[in-house]
């Protein structure tokens, strides 16, 4: 065999760059994301499980996505829904699951969904780069957006790291309801030690009590951290409504999703005609 036909023994080296959480979230939010992957692939099954990809065909069958700004996305089915739910994402850019999974169990005739992400992981204290410069500015911008689009009511909803920002913003914009699921406090001394810019005023403080918006704090009774953070906020804002959810999982909405009961949970917390019923929520978990 001639030298030119000899198989090469040279190793080919491929270099991969670790992508940030915001890059993963942006790709997962793309309406064409699910169409680029084979449905039989085992990797896809994991993407569906962790909320990066919807199990439907295509990923979003009812809602379409409009990018208002980077990290600000509006999902609407175009049915003139009267209510706007403003979602404050976790540090990974999700609301304890991908938007596709969340929207599968949302009543599109009643609700549109505005998803906000904070890739800087500052509990939205610095707003969202390119859209709002502070928490107060963020609440103002979102409130104006809701009025311009003709929504009759607005609710804020946040999970984990986005939970208490949802309570803050809901009070700043006088929302009809503010909901925290497994909310976490922004520990400002720790943030300052890392060199992060921290605002001088926190809307969740004794000097602002009572809160002006009806606030609901949902947490897993078997998750010690959930319980502690909810108790701290309740001490500052005693008028807030605490709802303990049976179980030990911090991400109990995903537990409900796996049980096929997330839609019932959404009905409980997003129905402004009645108060969320702890017993009905507990029954869903059972």
């Amino acid at each position: 065999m001639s030298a030119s036909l000899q198989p090469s023994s040279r190793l080919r080296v491929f270099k991969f760059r670790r992508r940030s959480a915001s890059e993963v979230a942006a790709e997962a939010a793309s309406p064409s994301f699910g169409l680029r992957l084979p449905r039989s692939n085992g990797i896809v099954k994991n993407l569906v499980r962790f909320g990066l990809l919807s199990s439907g065909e295509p990923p979003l069958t009812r809602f379409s996505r409009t990018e208002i700004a980077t990290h600000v996305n509006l999902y609407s089915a175009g049915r003139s829904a009267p209510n706007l739910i403003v979602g404050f994402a976790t540090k990974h850019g999700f609301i304890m699951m991908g938007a596709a999974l969340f929207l599968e169990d949302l009543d599109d005739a009643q609700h549109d969904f505005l998803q906000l992400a904070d890739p800087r992981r500052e509990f939205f204290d610095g707003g969202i780069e390119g859209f709002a410069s502070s928490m107060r500015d963020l609440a103002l911008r979102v409130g104006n957006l809701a009025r311009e689009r003709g929504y009759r009511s607005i609710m804020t909803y946040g999970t984990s790291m986005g939970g208490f920002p949802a309570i803050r913003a809901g009070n700043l914009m006088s929302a009809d309801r503010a909901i925290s699921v497994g909310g976490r406090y922004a520990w400002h001394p720790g943030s300052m030690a890392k060199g992060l810019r921290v605002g001088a005023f926190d809307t969740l403080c004794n000097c602002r009590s009572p809160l002006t918006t009806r606030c609901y704090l949902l947490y897993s009774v078997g998750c010690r951290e959930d319980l502690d953070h909810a108790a701290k906020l309740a001490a500052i804002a005693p008028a807030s409504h605490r709802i303990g959810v049976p179980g030990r999982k911090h991400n109990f909405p995903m537990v409900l999703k796996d049980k096929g009961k997330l839609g019932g949970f959404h009905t409980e917390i997003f129905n402004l005609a009645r108060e969320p019923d702890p017993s009905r929520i507990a029954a869903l978990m059972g």
Side-chain angles (χ1 to χ4, degrees), residues 76-88:
S76 174
R79 301 182 62 184
S80 300
N83 309 313
L84 178 65
I85 298 170
V86 183
F88 289 77

Side-chain angles (χ1 to χ4, degrees), residues 196-213:
L196 299 179
R197 184 182 65 83
V198 175
F201 181 72
D202 187 348
T203 53
L204 297 183
C205 64
N206 286 318
C207 59
R208 190 177 170 83
S209 185
L211 300 177
T212 57
T213 293

Side-chain angles (χ1 to χ4, degrees), residues 30-236:
S30 170
S32 62
F33 180 61
L35 303 179
R36 299 198 299 268
L37 295 171
R39 308 302 293 188
S40 60
N41 194 315
I43 296 176
V44 174
K45 294 180 181 178
N46 283 330
L47 291 174
V48 171
R49 172 64 181 82
F50 291 105
L52 292 172
L53 178 65
S54 167
S55 58
E57 281 282 4
L60 296 180
T61 56
R62 297 173 294 137
F63 291 84
S64 60
R65 180 175 68 93
T66 300
E67 185 179 68
I68 304 298
T70 304
H71 307 301
V72 181
N73 291 289
L74 177 65
Y75 294 89
S76 174
R79 301 182 62 184
S80 300
N83 309 313
L84 178 65
I85 298 170
V86 183
F88 289 77
T90 67
K91 64 182 180 181
H92 298 300
F94 305 117
I95 43 173
M96 287 188 167
M97 63 188 70
L101 293 184
F102 177 84
L103 293 172
E104 283 177 342
D105 295 286
L106 190 67
D107 184 350
D108 58 17
Q110 292 297 316
H111 309 296
D112 285 351
F113 180 64
L114 183 70
Q115 183 169 4
L116 311 177
D118 180 13
R120 293 180 295 189
R121 304 183 182 185
E122 296 179 11
F123 290 82
F124 294 89
D125 184 71
I128 298 175
E129 189 173 6
F131 181 71
S133 59
S134 65
M135 170 62 77
R136 182 180 179 82
D137 188 30
L138 179 60
L140 180 65
R141 291 290 306 275
V142 171
N144 288 340
L145 175 70
R147 284 188 291 272
E148 290 168 3
R149 291 180 175 264
Y151 294 106
R152 294 202 296 269
S153 67
I154 182 170
M155 289 174 273
T156 56
Y157 173 79
T159 59
S160 194
M161 194 173 182
F164 289 176
I167 301 295
R168 291 182 174 93
N171 281 270
L172 285 171
M173 68 177 73
S174 298
D176 296 274
R177 182 173 289 182
I179 304 161
S180 166
V181 173
R184 295 286 187 266
Y185 254 111
W187 293 115
H188 288 170
S191 298
M192 288 187 286
K194 296 176 183 177
L196 299 179
R197 184 182 65 83
V198 175
F201 181 72
D202 187 348
T203 53
L204 297 183
C205 64
N206 286 318
C207 59
R208 190 177 170 83
S209 185
L211 300 177
T212 57
T213 293
R214 291 190 70 80
C215 301
Y216 299 88
L217 316 177
L218 291 93
Y219 57 93
S220 292
V221 295
C223 178
R224 170 70 355 189
E225 195 171 359
D226 274 15
L227 192 63
D228 288 347
H229 283 256
K232 287 180 174 69
L233 181 55
I236 292 174

Side-chain angles (χ1 to χ4, degrees), residues 259-273:
K259 291 174 177 286
K261 296 181 179 180
L262 186 61
F265 178 66
H266 287 170
T267 298
E268 280 301 318
I269 64 175
F270 296 137
N271 184 354
L272 289 172

